[in-house]
Amino acid sequence: MGTSVSLQKFSGSNAISSADLFGQQCNNSSVDVTAGDPIDWLKLQAQQDFSSFKIMAGETWKKLSSLASTLMSNLQEEMLNLQERILR
């Protein structure tokens, strides 16, 4: 009888929470989700991803620049060695 009496208070409801069903007090002030929250989260995630991408691109550019510089130095050195051998 107690179960049917407690369930009668939900008749006509479209939905009930487990806190309502079990008679628990629920503090909804900490759960204030708005439609903009997921968008704000996606925006923050995109900004972090873009920032990481810029850092990786900068590091890659430095490595490629260093590699090109080393390649040019080695090429110039080989050209000088070749010239010396030809002139002997």
Side-chain angles (χ1 to χ4, degrees), residues 75-88:
L75 235 140
Q76 287 174 341
E77 187 177 320
E78 288 300 319
M79 291 294 287
L80 288 174
N81 289 340
L82 185 61
Q83 279 180 344
E84 287 179 6
R85 281 190 243 144
I86 291 174
L87 293 177
R88 286 187 201 177

Side-chain angles (χ1 to χ4, degrees), residues 5-77:
V5 171
S6 65
L7 292 178
Q8 284 179 350
K9 66 181 176 182
F10 301 116
S11 67
S13 297
N14 291 330
I16 61 171
S17 69
S18 59
D20 291 335
L21 182 62
F22 295 111
Q24 300 169 338
Q25 294 295 326
C26 186
N27 183 2
N28 287 335
S29 63
S30 64
V31 182
D32 187 22
V33 178
T34 63
D37 288 344
I39 293 170
D40 290 341
W41 180 84
L42 286 172
K43 182 179 174 184
L44 176 64
Q45 189 66 41
Q47 287 171 339
Q48 291 172 345
D49 290 347
F50 187 69
S51 179
S52 295
F53 175 76
K54 286 190 334 188
I55 291 169
M56 288 189 300
E59 290 172 356
T60 302
W61 179 254
K62 287 178 188 175
K63 289 178 183 177
L64 287 174
S65 177
S66 175
L67 179 66
S69 178
T70 301
L71 179 66
M72 290 304 292
S73 294
N74 288 347
L75 235 140
Q76 287 174 341
E77 187 177 320

